[in-house]
Amino acid sequence: MSTTTISPKYQVVIPKDIREKLHLKSGQKMTVVTKGGVIYFIPEKPLSFFRGFLKGMDTKDIREDEER
């Protein structure tokens, strides 16, 4: 577990071990969400990251146009 401090400008440094583990880059956008008193930083990924994401997915139970 890592700790960090909020700077006087309300900035937070993400510890190096976490940056490396999540492959975060300088300037990368993050979505910030709060829930139940917890702050979540979610790295935004480019659309190209999801190419092939559903490859091999079983499509037999997907609705057909006439079922809509």
Side-chain angles (χ1 to χ4, degrees):
M1 184 160 119
S2 300
T3 62
T4 191
T5 303
I6 299 174
S7 76
K9 293 184 176 183
Y10 297 95
Q11 297 171 328
V12 176
V13 175
I14 300 170
K16 185 177 180 181
D17 59 328
I18 294 174
R19 291 191 315 258
E20 290 175 348
K21 183 178 180 180
L22 297 177
H23 307 287
L24 299 177
K25 304 292 181 204
S26 176
Q28 183 174 353
K29 300 286 185 182
M30 305 280 276
T31 300
V32 181
V33 179
T34 63
K35 184 174 183 180
V38 177
I39 302 171
Y40 296 93
F41 291 90
I42 305 165
E44 292 184 3
K45 301 200 184 298
L47 194 56
S48 61
F49 175 82
F50 298 101
R51 173 172 268 145
F53 178 70
L54 299 176
K55 186 176 183 178
M57 183 178 114
D58 183 13
T59 58
K60 71 177 181 133
D61 292 325
I62 294 179
R63 297 185 307 178
E64 298 297 327
D65 288 335
E66 63 269 5
E67 293 177 349
R68 294 181 188 202

